[in-house]
């Protein structure tokens, strides 16, 4: 398990991290969320020793992370770190060797990943001649060429087309199945909702919410209720705490303790039910609450 334990970091007057804590378990994908400037990149750089926290510690399997341990980690930084004039395959071999692979092993892994990521015919191209999305794929290949057991990805989905999103998602799921611990940051909440087992939401340098996403949703003290009678939204005023407009329909926020049977009975009394949905909050709701300053 990778454990970030109460790390803090200041840059002059700017508090980048404020006792941030969370864990990334093996075989889990953790979505790392937060507004711009919340502290995500600073945390990820701290895991790789590129930023020295002022206090707190980061451990893997209960011990400090040494250079040798870090070689078993993979990192896709936000500021992409490829050599623009180096050929794609050479680049992969270079980074594979930095992680302790032999040239032969790195060459074989490079071929395998380039094929897998749809870049099998671009191994001899210079990185700078590739499109933005393909450079991103190479950056991913660099992060995974040595088959890491911990994978840290800073906004890996940014700028990918829908097929690229799908293929990166598959790669992450394969690593998860193989038992890797995966942390990735993203502003695309739907994607995080689909892919992640756990989340960590950082706000002003502090991790406000972390844990199993399904459990966090179920633990919320309210539910979203959508009722349509003959095609029109209907709100049971006696139960609704407030309403939220979503496109053409209006959702009621009701206490989690409200009985679904009672709600259905109320709706039936009103007329012909054409839609009835009773749902836990979505990740967007959880995110909004975590980063609200109220
Ligand atoms: P984004 O979603 O915009 O990428 P982030 O969550 O990754 O944001 P960080 O890059 O970690 O946020 O930045 C956290 C805070 O620390 C910001 O206020 C940022 O300006 C500040 N900061 C980060 N690195 C430095 C630095 N080297 N010098 C000064 N301030 C810094």
């Amino acid at each position: 398990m990778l454990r970030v334990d109460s790390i803090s970091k200041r840059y002059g007057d700017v508090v980048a991290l404020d006792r941030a804590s969370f864990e990334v378990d093996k075989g889990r994908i953790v979505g790392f969320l937060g507004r711009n400037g919340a502290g995500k990149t600073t945390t990820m750089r701290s895991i790789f020793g590129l930023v020295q926290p002022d206090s707190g510690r980061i451990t893997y399997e209960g011990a400090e992370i040494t250079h040798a341990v870090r070689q078993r980690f993979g990192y896709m930084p936000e500021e992409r770190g490829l050599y623009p004039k180096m050929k794609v395959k050479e680049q992969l071999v270079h980074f594979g060797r930095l992680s302790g692979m032999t040239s032969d092993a790195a060459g074989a892994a490079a071929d395998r990943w380039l094929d897998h990521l749809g870049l099998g015919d671009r191994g001899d191209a210079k990185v700078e001649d590739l499109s933005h999305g393909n450079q991103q794929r190479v950056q991913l290949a660099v992060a995974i060429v040595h088959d890491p057991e911990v994978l840290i990805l800073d906004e890996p989905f940014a700028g990918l087309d829908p097929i690229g999103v799908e293929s990166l998602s598959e790669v992450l799921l394969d690593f998860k199945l193989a038992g890797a611990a995966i942390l990735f940051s993203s502003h695309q909440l739907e994607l995080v909702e689909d892919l992640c087992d756990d989340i960590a939401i950082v706000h002003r340098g502090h991790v406000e919410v972390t844990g199993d996403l399904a459990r966090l949703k179920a633990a919320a003290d309210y539910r979203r209720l959508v009722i349509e009678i003959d095609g029109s939204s209907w709100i049971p005023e006696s139960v609704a705490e407030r309403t939220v407009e979503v496109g053409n329909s209006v959702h009621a926020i009701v206490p989690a303790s409200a009985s679904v049977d009672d709600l259905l009975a109320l709706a039936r009394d009103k007329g012909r039910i054409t839609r009835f949905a009773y749902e836990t909050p979505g990740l967007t709701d959880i995110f909004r609450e975590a980063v609200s300053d109220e």
Side-chain angles (χ1 to χ4, degrees), residues 4 17 25 40 42 60 62 64 68 107 141 143 209 220 240 258 260 275:
V4 173
L17 292 174
D25 273 331
K40 300 178 296 294
T42 307
Y60 180 60
E64 299 291 330
V209 172
V260 182
R275 185 173 173 204

Side-chain angles (χ1 to χ4, degrees), residues 11 14-16 34-43 78 154-155 187 202:
Y11 293 102
V14 177
V15 177
R35 301 184 61 184
N36 292 127
K40 300 178 296 294
T41 297
T42 307
T43 304
E78 187 180 27
D154 203 344
E155 298 194 27
H187 294 292
V202 61

Side-chain angles (χ1 to χ4, degrees), residues 30-287:
V30 181
F32 197 22
L33 310 173
R35 301 184 61 184
N36 292 127
K40 300 178 296 294
T41 297
T42 307
T43 304
M44 291 178 157
R45 290 174 61 81
S46 300
I47 294 169
F48 283 86
L50 303 168
V51 164
Q52 286 303 320
D54 301 326
S55 59
R57 60 200 293 255
I58 302 178
T59 57
Y60 180 60
E61 292 176 333
E64 299 291 330
I65 300 171
T66 60
H67 173 70
V69 169
R70 212 169 267 132
Q71 283 188 319
R72 286 149 46 199
F73 291 12
Y75 182 36
M76 183 166 168
E78 187 180 27
E79 72 302 343
R80 310 298 185 213
L82 300 171
Y83 299 108
K85 302 214 178 288
M86 201 190 270
K87 289 179 180 169
V88 168
K89 180 171 170 185
E90 277 173 24
Q91 191 120 208
L92 290 184
V93 172
H94 169 75
F95 282 103
R97 297 217 58 202
L98 284 184
S99 298
M101 297 175 94
T102 64
S103 296
D104 285 351
D111 287 337
R112 188 161 44 84
W113 279 115
L114 289 176
D115 267 349
H116 192 85
L117 296 171
L119 294 170
D121 56 348
R122 307 309 305 273
D124 285 331
K126 285 186 195 160
V127 166
E128 64 184 2
D129 293 336
L130 298 184
S131 70
H132 172 80
N134 280 341
Q135 289 190 23
Q136 187 121 329
R137 281 168 208 230
V138 176
Q139 187 78 65
L140 170 68
V142 163
I144 60 184
V145 69
H146 57 301
D147 207 10
E149 55 195 83
V150 173
L151 199 44
I152 309 287
L153 311 155
D154 203 344
E155 298 194 27
F157 289 100
L160 286 186
D161 69 27
I163 306 298
V165 166
E166 214 170 82
S167 92
L168 174 53
S169 302
E170 277 168 19
V171 169
L172 297 191
L173 287 169
D174 284 346
F175 268 89
K176 166 188 151 145
L177 285 178
I182 302 163
L183 176 73
F184 78 87
S185 63
S186 179
H187 294 292
Q188 291 156 269
L189 298 184
E190 278 174 29
L191 227 158
V192 171
E193 195 151 21
D194 281 349
L195 203 55
C196 290
D197 304 293
D198 302 314
I199 54 162
I201 303 178
V202 61
H203 183 52
R204 300 191 192 285
H206 190 69
V207 175
E208 298 287 345
V209 172
T210 186
D212 180 292
L213 179 55
R215 270 199 219 131
L216 287 168
K217 287 180 179 182
D221 60 1
Y222 66 93
R223 297 288 181 265
R224 258 174 198 267
L225 174 69
V226 191
I227 299 177
E228 286 177 11
I229 305 292
D230 283 322
S232 303
S233 290
W234 177 69
I235 300 296
E237 300 289 349
S238 57
V239 198
E241 290 176 342
R242 59 192 169 88
T243 58
V244 186
E245 278 187 40
V246 181
N248 289 332
S249 84
V250 186
H251 297 191
I253 303 299
V254 302
S257 57
S259 143
V260 182
D261 279 341
D262 291 352
L263 293 168
L264 258 174
L266 281 174
R268 269 200 207 98
D269 280 352
K270 198 69 200 162
R272 191 174 64 97
I273 300 172
T274 48
R275 185 173 173 204
F276 186 96
Y278 175 86
E279 291 160 356
T280 54
L283 181 54
T284 310
D285 299 306
I286 293 175
F287 181 81

